[in-house]
Amino acid sequence: MHQSAIWLSEQDVASLVSLNDIIDELEVGMRSLGEGKGFNIPKALGTIDAASSMHSLGSALTEAHVCGYKNWINTPRGAKAMFVLFDSHEGRLLAFMEANVLGQLRTSAMTGLGTRWMAPEGVDEMAMVGSGRQALAQVAAVNLVRPLKRLRIWSPTADKRRAFCEQVRQQFSMEVIEEPTLEQALRDAPLVTTVTRATTPFLHADMLARGAHLNAVGAILPANAEFHQDVFKRANMIAVDDVANTRKASREFIDQFGDGDWGRVRPLGELIAKGERRPGDADITLFKSMGMGISDLSVAALAYRRAREAGIGQEIPLTTGARLRWSSAQTAQAT
């Protein structure tokens, strides 16, 4: 048994795990969650001021004997995330790791996993709505599970859209089409991914082709929304990464289901555990990713195992405790 924990930097994490690894590892974690062999702890949120907040997100994989918390702060001047990994069997600290890269990997990997289980087999074309910092990894994740021959891209700012198109062309061999309008980007697209910060819904159900799959990745705060309520009416299968976080923070889902019946909203882990795929005659399918602890934990545990195998990471000695100190009232008065 190690008598020390390790510190892993962003560079360490990036060198130890890739997006290719994480989609498969995340599927294992989600299956465990669906089988009742893991659990998420709802997000804790503290608002510091109008533009700054602090967060904590925890989870455990009980059969794998690992648990942990990701803690982060987000301010206009910067953001930083840290993950703390524990051995839940021995009650021991395993690792501290910087978690910005970890978060980017798990967010895109979750889209890849949702696509693997819910998108039509054999599709090779996607419409990408959004061109921000998450967009490239989203393309990469989908491409790993549904190799893309053609990618249509639309975002509202022409300069950013054009720059993103060039970025994708440099990274991938697929055909990249810059679309001038949202409607043209979505027309007949069998696969659609939205990753925006929209505060007003922009995607109507009639923009989606019959048989399409929609990954709704943006709008993870109650003030934001990407798609209109009519999308739910066409969806034959609706899945989310975590129902509790969706009920708490997704405006789209809250407006639709509110305090009513959420039975149509399936956890992706449950689908994976039961081996359920999209219905063969589905009109459209919808996957909403909000972020949850198991996805962070799956990445962190894999990075830790590989770090130990490779001897990577700065050792942090562990101690069993220390003697407590205090002064009696008489001693304090005498001094």
Side-chain angles (χ1 to χ4, degrees), residues 239-314:
V240 298
D241 56 349
D242 184 74
V243 175
N245 281 344
T246 305
R247 295 185 72 144
K248 182 177 181 180
S250 170
R251 178 174 145 203
E252 297 142 334
F253 279 72
I254 293 169
D255 287 350
Q256 177 68 22
F257 298 103
D259 295 327
D261 182 9
W262 283 67
R264 292 181 63 203
V265 182
R266 306 283 302 282
L268 181 62
E270 179 183 288
L271 297 182
I272 294 172
K274 293 182 176 180
E276 292 186 38
R277 302 279 181 169
R278 66 180 282 125
D281 60 348
D283 185 358
I284 63 171
T285 52
L286 168 64
F287 177 61
K288 180 72 178 179
S289 176
M290 296 292 295
M292 64 171 187
I294 290 291
S295 56
D296 293 308
L297 179 60
S298 297
V299 181
L302 177 61
Y304 172 77
R305 293 197 304 270
R306 290 187 172 177
R308 281 303 191 189
E309 292 167 359
I312 292 174
Q314 181 178 339

Side-chain angles (χ1 to χ4, degrees), residues 207 232-233:
M207 296 178 177
F232 288 107
K233 296 177 182 178

